[in-house]
Amino acid sequence: LEAISPLVELLGEHERGDAAAAILPQFGSIILRPLISGLDDQRSAARERAQRILVALVRQSEDVPGVLHEIISLFNPSPPDQARNLLLSVLTNELADVSIPPLLEGLEDAYLIEDVSEAFVNLTHKVELQDEVLDVLLQSLFIDERRRGAEVALIKIGAPSVPRVGEMIVHQNPTVARAAKLIMRDIGVPALPFIWNAHSDKSNPARRAAALEVFHNIPTEVIQDELVALLVSHRAEDISMAVSLLLDRIQDESQQSYADRIM
């Protein structure tokens, strides 16, 4: 054990770095916490070798989920920014094919939610993984322990979440419907086209009412600039959306106290 830290320090050396990188994985996952200093090393060679070691530890392990769980746990306590960014990069690039299930478990830990949700954002940037990521996050809304983490991730993902989450605002499970409405509220501006479409669709009164509830709960300061900007758009549908939603918002505010009539 005493040899691990000196070996991590050698990762940045030209002559002995590769030898150290070959030896370290043989110790197993016990090297993970000391390896943070390698990920935060000022020498690029040390950082690159540290990342390769992370990948090697996972690929050679007989317990891939277990090792990934230990890697994800490195986010608490918070590592230095450079190390944190490299951990996120490894999990969402080199290990993207195996990291989703352990990341979902990370949603259950309040201390890991911010970092794990950012990992899911990065994964949705990969076109081939976006649908899978949205699927598992939406399924997590049905799991009490994961719901809050899934909400945070879907809010951060933003616009790509809107069509799928929007359909759940009238889900028969009231807890899930409430979570979906909260997510849409906090997504804000990117949710406006969905809200307008639902607002305009009088054939589905339940969805229309739920969408308006979301709209009324979005803080005015979040959407006012976007709605006003849409008024001067060159696209007729943008102007129609802005007029319709502005009038609805003004009507809703007219029932409130004068101080709350922002729009």
Side-chain angles (χ1 to χ4, degrees):
L1 295 181
E2 294 176 359
I4 293 174
S5 291
L7 283 169
V8 171
E9 181 61 31
L10 291 177
L11 290 175
E13 293 194 4
H14 176 69
E15 295 172 349
R16 295 183 287 180
D18 285 334
I23 294 169
L24 279 165
Q26 298 175 33
F27 288 94
S29 59
I30 198 170
I31 69 169
L32 285 172
R33 192 65 65 177
L35 197 61
I36 288 176
S37 63
L39 293 169
D40 195 46
D41 201 296
Q42 295 305 304
R43 299 166 294 181
S44 61
R47 299 194 300 273
E48 290 166 7
R49 290 185 177 113
Q51 290 177 85
R52 290 209 306 269
I53 291 169
L54 287 175
V55 176
L57 274 174
V58 172
R59 298 300 184 194
Q60 71 187 23
S61 174
E62 295 179 358
D63 180 19
V64 170
V67 177
L68 282 165
H69 177 77
E70 292 189 59
I71 291 174
I72 293 167
S73 71
L74 295 176
F75 289 117
N76 181 39
S78 297
D81 286 347
Q82 183 170 238
R84 175 183 180 274
N85 291 337
L86 291 179
L87 283 171
L88 284 170
S89 176
V90 169
L91 286 166
T92 58
N93 289 295
E94 292 90 341
L95 298 175
D97 60 315
V98 290
S99 67
I100 290 177
L103 285 169
L104 285 171
E105 292 181 13
L107 293 176
E108 300 176 18
D109 188 331
Y111 293 102
L112 298 177
I113 285 175
E114 283 301 315
D115 301 291
V116 169
S117 60
E118 191 162 328
F120 279 119
V121 173
N122 292 350
L123 287 168
T124 59
H125 294 159
K126 299 180 182 300
V127 176
E128 70 277 12
L129 289 178
Q130 188 174 104
D131 284 341
E132 179 185 353
V133 170
L134 290 173
D135 283 343
V136 296
L137 289 175
L138 290 170
Q139 290 162 14
S140 295
L141 294 177
F142 293 85
I143 303 171
D144 291 346
E145 296 80 8
R146 295 183 183 177
R147 185 176 301 114
R148 180 56 193 151
E151 289 171 359
V152 172
L154 288 163
I155 290 164
K156 285 186 177 182
I157 290 168
S161 301
V162 168
R164 304 279 299 277
V165 176
E167 293 305 319
M168 298 180 77
I169 63 176
V170 287
H171 198 278
Q172 59 186 8
N173 182 323
T175 303
V176 172
R178 186 164 55 249
K181 286 187 277 192
L182 181 151
I183 293 164
M184 295 289 279
R185 179 200 71 189
D186 288 352
I187 286 176
V189 168
L192 291 178
F194 177 90
I195 290 169
W196 181 56
N197 285 330
H199 174 276
S200 306
D201 182 10
K202 293 183 171 59
S203 68
N204 192 336
R207 189 178 70 144
R208 184 173 189 266
L212 284 175
E213 179 186 340
V214 171
F215 180 59
H216 294 157
N217 286 326
I218 300 175
T220 301
E221 56 270 20
V222 170
I223 54 173
Q224 60 187 14
D225 291 347
E226 176 68 12
L227 289 176
V228 173
L230 289 170
L231 281 176
V232 294
S233 169
H234 296 296
R235 301 173 68 232
E237 56 267 37
D238 288 346
I239 299 170
S240 296
M241 177 170 73
V243 170
S244 179
L245 294 180
L246 278 167
L247 286 172
D248 182 273
R249 191 58 171 243
I250 291 167
Q251 182 180 6
D252 181 60
E253 286 188 0
S254 70
Q255 301 167 32
Q256 301 173 21
S257 66
Y258 184 79
D260 294 325
R261 297 178 190 176
I262 301 170
M263 194 66 83

